[in-house]
Every structure is written in structure tokens, then in C-alpha cells.
């Protein structure tokens, strides 16, 4: 592991920025950005429905968060974002349990490394279906819910700087994330008519202990070398920006993709 040029800053305490609001966070089981976002939202006073395709990890995450924040503020439902019926069930669950919806975080995505010349149709399609089409399905469901209930909701999508910057072996992932950015901008224009905002974050390098273990030291060194701080972002640092985009502090922002990055220009 590389030695960071700067240490990780102190964890920022909650300020009740999402008090009384109900949020859905996809791919929220585990220690990644989704899990960090669910926790940050709870610390900011929200009720949170976490979702993931991994049922065991989802149950463990639900139990841990419920013990810390209260079972009345945390619920979970497994959802594969490539399955429209499961997406519909997730949003119906939110209405049934919490009576409505205020925030949707589309965090589900799938990466992988493959040279384009050797990439199979299955590899391409799988990444696009989870990362881009899944974001489309959940955004569509969210906008329908906001439109039909009259709530001035917020959608926050998880894109990536790789949607702007080329990287070998990442054609499928880069195409999917660039698509998420374009989807964000178009959805924002349509949703503005009924007071709904749609924005996205674009992290550069966010890691957590489990991901570090399966990343080679050589690759991690190469990636962190590109970061001005000489370290990767903690998932909660990305989640902080999602809190901002979900809160009233970003009330005049829509259709924006916010880079969460310390990469050199």
C-alpha cells in the first residue's frame, strides 16, 4: 500500500440536514460508498431504506444500522436493478413502510477490466445493464413517485470521473458512467417541471478495506499517484457530497455532475 501524502481528515459529524426525510440507497450493503451513504443519511436524520442484490450482506447491514439508529428508521429489501419487477417492489415497499419518498441514491454499479478487443458481448452488456440501465430504471421509478405524490424529491446518481477520462480496460464501465452523466442531465430537465432535482457525483478513487485487499499493490500505487493528496478517498468522503446534493443546501442545483476527486488536472 502506498504511503499517503496527507492523512484522512476527521469524520464529519451529522448536522440533521435530512431531518424527517425518507431515502432509498441502492447497493448499500457492505463497506462501500452505498453503505457509507446510508450511514451518513441516518446521521443526518433521515429514514433509510437500503437495498442490494446480496441478500446476506444486506440483512447484516440492516441489523447493524437498526441497532445503532433504531429499527423504525432502517429497513431493507433485496433488489436486482436489472429486474424491473424488483425495482417496482422496492419503491412500493418504501411507500408501504414510510408513506412516501424524498431521496433516491442510485449507487448500484458493476466494474471490471477487459481489453475492448477481447471483451465479450456478455461482459459489455452486464456492466451496462447494472450500471446504466439500473440507474435508468430506478430514476424512472423515482420520478414517477415524485410526480404522482407531488413531493419535491431529489435523485443523486453515482457516476465516475472515468466517464470523462479514458482508462485502458474500462471501455464498458466508462461508457456506462458517461451514460449516467448524460441521463442525469436529461432527467433533470424533465423533472424540473415538478420541482424535482437530479444530480450526480463522480468519484475518482474511493476505496475501503475489503477492496484494498483484492487490489494489487502495483495498481493501487499507480492510481493513488494520480491523486493530488496521494491517497484514495474514504467512502464517507463521497457520501458527504451526496448528503449535500440531497439537502436543501443544493436547492438551486440540478443536472450537475460533481467531481469528488483530487486528481491532477
Amino acid at each position: 500500500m502506498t504511503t499517503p501524502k496527507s492523512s484522512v481528515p476527521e469524520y464529519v459529524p451529522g448536522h440533521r440536514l435530512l431531518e424527517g426525510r425518507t431515502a432509498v440507497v441502492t447497493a448499500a450493503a457492505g463497506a462501500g460508498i452505498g453503505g457509507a451513504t446510508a450511514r451518513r443519511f441516518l446521521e443526518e436524520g433521515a429514514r433509510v431504506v437500503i437495498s442490494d442484490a446480496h441478500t446476506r450482506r444486506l440483512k447484516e447491514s440492516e441489523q447493524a444500522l437498526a441497532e445503532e439508529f433504531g429499527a423504525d428508521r432502517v429497513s431493507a429489501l433485496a433488489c436486482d436493478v436489472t429486474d424491473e419487477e424488483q425495482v417496482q417492489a422496492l419503491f412500493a415497499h418504501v411507500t408501504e413502510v414510510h408513506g412516501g419518498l424524498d431521496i433516491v441514491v442510485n449507487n448500484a454499479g458493476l466494474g471490471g477490466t477487459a481489453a475492448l478487443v477481447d471483451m465479450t458481448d456478455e461482459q459489455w452488456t452486464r456492466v451496462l445493464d447494472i450500471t446504466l440501465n439500473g440507474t435508468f430504471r430506478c430514476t424512472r421509478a423515482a420520478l414517477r413517485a415524485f410526480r404522482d405524490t407531488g413531493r419535491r424529491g431529489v435523485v443523486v446518481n453515482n457516476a465516475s470521473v472515468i466517464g470523462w477520462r479514458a482508462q485502458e480496460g474500462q471501455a464498458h464501465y466508462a461508457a456506462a458512467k458517461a451514460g449516467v452523466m448524460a441521463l442525469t442531465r436529461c432527467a433533470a430537465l424533465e423533472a424540473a417541471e415538478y420541482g424535482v432535482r437530479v444530480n450526480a457525483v463522480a468519484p475518482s478513487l474511493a476505496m475501503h478495506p475489503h477492496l484494498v485487499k483484492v487490489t494489487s499493490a502495483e495498481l493501487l500505487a499507480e492510481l493513488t499517484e494520480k491523486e493530488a493528496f496521494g491517497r484514495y478517498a474514504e467512502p464517507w468522503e463521497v457520501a458527504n457530497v451526496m448528503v449535500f446534493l440531497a439537502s436543501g443546501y443544493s436547492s438551486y442545483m440540478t443536472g450537475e455532475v460533481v467531481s469528488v476527486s483530487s486528481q491532477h488536472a
Side-chain angles (χ1 to χ4, degrees), residues 49-208:
V49 178
I50 58 173
S51 179
D52 205 289
H54 301 280
T55 54
R56 180 186 59 80
R57 293 192 318 190
L58 181 65
K59 188 64 177 177
E60 291 173 352
S61 296
E62 179 189 19
Q63 291 175 342
L65 291 172
E67 288 177 5
E68 184 172 353
F69 296 99
D72 59 325
R73 293 182 55 208
V74 182
S75 63
L77 188 70
C79 177
D80 178 348
V81 296
T82 68
D83 186 322
E84 175 62 15
E85 289 187 4
Q86 292 190 39
V87 171
Q88 291 297 323
L90 172 62
F91 283 81
H93 169 83
V94 178
T95 300
E96 179 182 343
V97 174
H98 297 292
L101 176 66
D102 300 293
I103 304 162
V104 173
V105 175
N106 288 313
N107 176 66
L110 177 67
T113 301
L116 186 60
V117 69
D118 298 318
M119 190 178 295
T120 66
D121 283 10
E122 182 181 5
Q123 286 175 305
W124 174 271
T125 301
R126 181 67 173 160
V127 170
L128 268 289
D129 199 20
I130 294 175
T131 307
L132 177 56
N133 297 346
T135 300
F136 154 70
R137 293 184 188 98
C138 291
T139 299
R140 178 176 60 186
L143 296 188
R144 287 174 175 172
F146 294 145
R147 178 196 61 190
D148 295 346
T149 60
R151 293 202 182 199
R152 298 172 66 88
V154 180
V155 176
V156 183
N157 295 325
N158 192 0
S160 169
V161 296
I162 205 170
W164 290 311
R165 303 165 182 169
Q167 184 175 323
E168 291 183 8
Q170 297 295 314
H172 46 359
Y173 188 65
K177 290 300 189 178
V180 169
M181 293 177 178
L183 172 64
T184 297
R185 291 188 288 266
C186 292
L189 288 179
E190 296 183 19
E193 178 182 347
Y194 35 97
V196 172
R197 299 188 296 111
V198 185
N199 292 293
V201 299
S204 56
L205 181 63
M207 304 284 282
H208 55 82

